[in-house]
Amino acid sequence: MSIVKLSMRLVTSALLRAAPAALALGAVVLAWEAYALFSGISPTTLPAPSRVVTQAWEHRLALLDNMLPTLAATTIGFVYSLLAAFAFSVLVDFIPPIRRGLFPVLIVSQTLPLVAIAPLVVLWFGFGLGPKIGLVALVAFFPMLVALVQGYAATDRDIEALLASMGAGRLRVFLLARLPSSLPYFFAGIRISITYAVVGAIFAEYAGAAKGLGIYILNAKNNFRPDLVLAAVLVSSALTLMLFGIVVLVQRLVMPWDRLERRSP
Amino acid sequence: MTGYRLQLRNLRKRFGDLDVLGDISLTVRRGEFVSLLGPSGAGKSTLFKILTGATEADAGTIHFDGQPLATRPSPFAFMPQHDALMPWRRVLDNTTLGLEVQGLARAAARKRVQPLFAEFGLAGFEKHYPAQLSGGMRQRAALLRTVVQQREMLLFDEPFGALDALTRASMQRWLQAMWQQHSWTALLITHDVREAVFLSDRIYVLRGRPARMLTEIAVPLPRPRIDLTSPEASAIEARLLDTLLNQSPD
C-alpha cells in the first residue's frame, strides 16, 4: 500500500472517529461567537472566533515566518532527544548499575520548571536556535527513555529462553527480541514527547527569541492583540497535530503487525 | 559407552529455600520418544532449563552420546510451552530464527525452511504474521522452527497445553506421524496423561516439590496409534493416573 493511500485512509477513519468531538468543539465555538457578538465585550478582551480566523489569514505570512523557527527547534530538538533516549536506554539495558546512577539525576532534571530554566538558558546561551533545541530535547527525552526501558523489560520470557536455547548471546537477544518488543512502548513515548516538544519550543521562545511562535505570542499579548495570540495558538495546535499524525503514520509503517495483534484475541 | 543419547544421573536443583529437583535420573535412547509426566509446578520446566543451559544443576551429571553435556555444542532444539513466535516477524522469518542464530544468512535460511512449509501444513502462510494464524498453525510453525535447527534431540515443554481439546488431539496425531517419519529423538514434558500415553515409548512419572521419579512405565502399544481405546492403553492410563493421584500429599 502506498503511503499516500495509507495516509488518506488514516485521515478518513480519524475524521469519522473524531465526529463527536468535532461537534462538541463546533458547539463551543458557536457559543463563543454568539457571546462575543451580543454581549458587547471588547474584541481586545475576547475576540470572536471569526475574528481570530480572519486575522490569522491576514497575518498568515508573519505567522508562517514565526512558525518555521518553532518547527525547526521542535523537530531538531526532538530528533536529538530521540537519539539520546535510545542511546541511554541501550546503555541502561546492558549495564544495569548505570540505571541506578542515572535515573535519579534524570528524574530531578524533569522536576526543573521550564518557566525558570528557559530564561536562564537564554541568558547563558543567547537567543539562537541552539538553546531552544536543548530545551526541547530536555522535555522530550524522559518519556521516550522510560518507554524504551519499560519496553525492553516487557520482552516475552519464553522468547528470551528460546533464543538462549538456540545459543544467542546478549547482543543477539537484544537485537532480535528486546528491541522489537519495545517498539509499541517506544511509540507511546514518542507520542507524548512530540507534544511536549512543541510546548517546550514555544516556551523557550517565550523566554527570548528573534522569531518563533513563542515570541510572536508574547509580542501580540503586549500589543493588546488577543486575536493574534489565539491565531498563533491555532497554528501551534495545527503544528502539534501534524507532527502527531506523522508519528502515527510512521508507527503504522514500522509496525504492520501491531494492528493484527490487537484485532486478534 | 552407555548406548544412550541422553543420560541424566542424580540431578538436583534448589532455588534458595525451594527444593525443585530432588533426585532425577533418566535416559533417552536414539529415536525414542520419552515423556516426563507430572503435576504442574513439579519442576519439569526447570529440568529443561538445565538442559538448555538457562540455569545450572547443583549436583548430578548429564551425558549426551556418552560425553558430558558441557563439553559439546548444545544438542537440543527447544520448543517452549507457549509457541513464543515473535509477533513482529512473518511466519517464514520466525521459522528461520534458529538458523539465523546459528549464523546462516537469512536468504539461505529461508531457502532451507521453505520446502518444509507444505509438510507442516503452512503452505501459503509464509508471509503472514503469527497473529493471523490459528492456534494449531502457530504450534506447527513453532515446531517447524524447532526441527529445522537439525539438532540431535527435541525438547517439548507442554507444546499443546494452550490449545483447545480438538486442536490438541489433531496436533498429537500429526506430531506422531511426523515423529515416525523423521525418527526424531524427543523428550516431552506434559501433565496430560493421555498425551503421554499417545505419544511416548516410555513415560517417567514425577511427583512435585521437590521433583522425584515415582516410576517408569513402558508404552508398548503399536504405532500408528489412532486412539487409546484398546484394553492395554486403558490399563497403562489407569496405572499412570493411579500413580499420580496416590502420591503422598506432603
Side-chain angles (χ1 to χ4, degrees):
Chain A
M1 189 179 347
S2 77
I3 294 185
V4 180
K5 250 188 178 168
L6 178 60
S7 356
M8 291 287 284
R9 248 187 38 195
L10 281 179
V11 168
T12 329
S13 71
L15 284 180
L16 278 177
R17 262 177 295 141
L23 278 175
L25 190 68
V28 171
V29 170
L30 271 179
W32 176 3
E33 182 79 37
Y35 182 79
L37 202 62
F38 299 116
S39 69
I41 193 167
S42 152
T44 55
T45 307
L46 182 72
S50 57
R51 181 178 166 83
V52 173
V53 173
T54 49
Q55 286 302 307
W57 181 248
E58 212 159 286
H59 291 80
R60 60 189 180 278
L61 288 179
L63 280 167
L64 180 69
D65 196 34
N66 283 285
M67 188 268 276
L68 291 176
T70 307
L71 179 62
T74 304
T75 47
I76 298 172
F78 176 77
V79 169
Y80 277 131
S81 192
L82 187 140
L83 294 176
F86 179 68
F88 272 108
S89 75
V90 175
L91 214 59
V92 164
D93 197 55
F94 278 84
I95 315 168
I98 289 187
R99 179 176 184 161
R100 286 193 291 278
L102 199 69
F103 265 54
V105 180
L106 292 175
I107 290 170
V108 169
S109 83
Q110 295 306 301
T111 64
L112 306 174
L114 204 55
V115 204
I117 334 176
L120 287 177
V121 171
V122 171
L123 182 69
W124 295 331
F125 300 106
F127 289 93
L129 192 59
K132 292 177 182 58
I133 290 173
L135 279 169
V136 169
L138 182 73
V139 295
F141 175 73
F142 203 59
M144 289 192 283
L145 178 69
V146 170
L148 275 169
V149 170
Q150 204 182 348
Y152 299 150
T155 309
D156 185 345
R157 295 275 163 273
D158 276 348
I159 290 180
E160 286 189 304
L162 175 74
L163 282 169
S165 83
M166 290 170 169
R170 184 72 176 81
L171 181 64
R172 265 288 174 74
V173 172
F174 179 80
L175 291 174
L176 287 173
R178 294 178 78 84
L179 190 57
S181 298
S182 75
L183 280 178
Y185 294 81
F186 190 27
F187 273 103
I190 288 177
R191 288 181 190 203
I192 297 171
S193 281
I194 196 78
T195 56
Y196 281 15
V198 179
V199 177
I202 290 174
F203 236 115
E205 291 163 352
Y206 203 84
K211 260 188 214 172
L213 284 178
I215 199 71
Y216 187 88
I217 288 171
L218 185 66
N219 289 336
K221 189 206 77 172
N222 289 343
N223 293 332
F224 302 101
R225 291 297 302 273
D227 50 346
L228 289 181
V229 172
L230 288 170
V233 168
L234 212 60
V235 172
S236 87
S237 294
L239 188 66
T240 310
L241 284 177
M242 183 195 76
L243 292 171
F244 194 87
I246 290 173
V247 171
V248 173
L249 185 63
V250 170
Q251 181 172 9
R252 289 275 173 93
L253 291 172
V254 172
M255 305 175 50
W257 67 87
D258 191 40
R259 272 155 27 98
L260 302 171
E261 285 283 302
R262 265 179 281 158
R263 213 183 297 155
S264 70
Chain B
M1 289 297 289
T2 56
Y4 296 119
R5 279 234 103 153
L6 180 66
Q7 184 174 34
L8 309 184
R9 256 183 300 199
N10 308 107
L11 228 52
R12 288 171 180 280
K13 177 72 186 173
R14 302 177 66 92
F15 288 110
D17 287 340
L18 195 63
D19 208 355
V20 184
L21 295 185
D23 181 27
I24 300 293
S25 300
L26 66 85
T27 57
V28 182
R29 288 189 200 87
R30 182 181 291 272
E32 199 178 22
F33 198 116
V34 174
S35 289
L36 274 174
L37 180 66
S40 299
K44 303 187 297 282
S45 294
T46 304
L47 187 65
F48 270 14
K49 279 188 187 151
I50 292 171
L51 291 179
T52 56
T55 184
E56 272 180 47
D58 298 333
T61 58
I62 307 171
H63 284 82
F64 197 87
D65 284 348
Q67 291 176 295
L69 185 67
T71 64
R72 61 188 313 293
S74 171
F76 303 116
F78 171 55
M79 181 165 166
Q81 200 162 357
H82 305 287
D83 52 54
L85 294 173
M86 295 178 167
W88 55 86
R89 282 184 163 228
R90 294 173 191 277
V91 175
L92 181 60
D93 296 328
N94 259 296
T95 54
T96 58
L97 189 66
L99 297 173
E100 275 179 61
V101 171
Q102 282 173 24
L104 211 62
R106 193 177 266 206
R110 284 179 171 179
K111 212 172 253 173
R112 180 153 358 141
V113 176
Q114 207 132 31
L116 297 168
F117 264 71
E119 192 183 355
F120 279 71
L122 293 165
F125 287 89
E126 290 87 343
K127 295 284 171 201
H128 284 59
Y129 284 101
Q132 293 167 297
L133 302 190
S134 68
M137 292 179 90
R138 292 180 65 115
Q139 290 299 329
R140 289 200 294 272
L143 185 66
L144 177 54
R145 178 189 60 198
T146 313
V147 301
V148 291
Q149 296 175 52
Q150 296 187 318
R151 301 281 176 99
E152 288 103 319
M153 185 168 168
L154 305 177
L155 303 179
F156 299 120
D157 187 356
E158 297 187 9
F160 309 133
L163 300 177
D164 62 273
L166 204 59
T167 313
R168 187 160 61 227
S170 83
M171 285 297 293
Q172 287 163 353
R173 286 185 186 197
W174 177 81
L175 180 62
Q176 174 182 237
M178 293 293 281
W179 173 79
Q180 278 193 290
Q181 205 174 322
H182 294 271
S183 57
W184 294 322
T185 307
L187 183 60
L188 168 80
I189 284 178
T190 184
H191 57 243
D192 181 336
V193 174
R194 306 211 83 175
E195 180 168 282
V197 175
F198 187 77
L199 290 170
S200 314
D201 296 311
R202 273 188 306 128
I203 300 170
Y204 288 97
V205 184
L206 278 103
R207 71 151 213 207
R209 300 271 155 125
R212 276 177 217 281
M213 287 302 179
L214 285 174
T215 182
E216 181 196 333
I217 294 177
V219 187
L221 301 173
R223 291 180 190 268
R225 298 167 186 162
I226 307 299
D227 49 36
L228 298 173
T229 47
S230 70
E232 293 91 340
S234 305
I236 294 170
E237 246 183 79
R239 206 177 132 202
L240 285 170
L241 265 177
D242 201 43
T243 315
L244 279 169
L245 294 175
N246 289 333
Q247 52 180 300
S248 52
D250 52 357

